[in-house]
Amino acid sequence: MRAFSAALDAIPLALAENSGLPPIETLAAIKSQQVSEGKSQLGVDCVGRGHNGEAQFVNGRYLR
């Protein structure tokens, strides 16, 4: 179970690091925001647009 959890954490850590963000601090902030807002779909804001889980309009479609 812990290995599965660690594997899931690897994705947002890699996204944060590749986006130039501090990976550990970013992951901690995201997890805290997920708990406080009750929104498990929140993630890394890779492009710095100020949202990290809202629907986005991309290529003529709304993505979640």
Side-chain angles (χ1 to χ4, degrees), residues 11-50:
I11 297 168
L13 282 171
L15 284 172
E17 188 170 3
N18 291 335
S19 298
L21 302 170
I24 295 172
E25 292 86 356
T26 301
L27 184 61
I30 291 168
K31 285 185 175 190
S32 174
Q33 188 178 7
Q34 286 174 338
V35 171
S36 67
E37 294 182 17
K39 296 180 179 179
S40 61
Q41 73 271 17
L42 297 176
V44 178
D45 180 14
C46 296
V47 293
R49 293 192 176 167

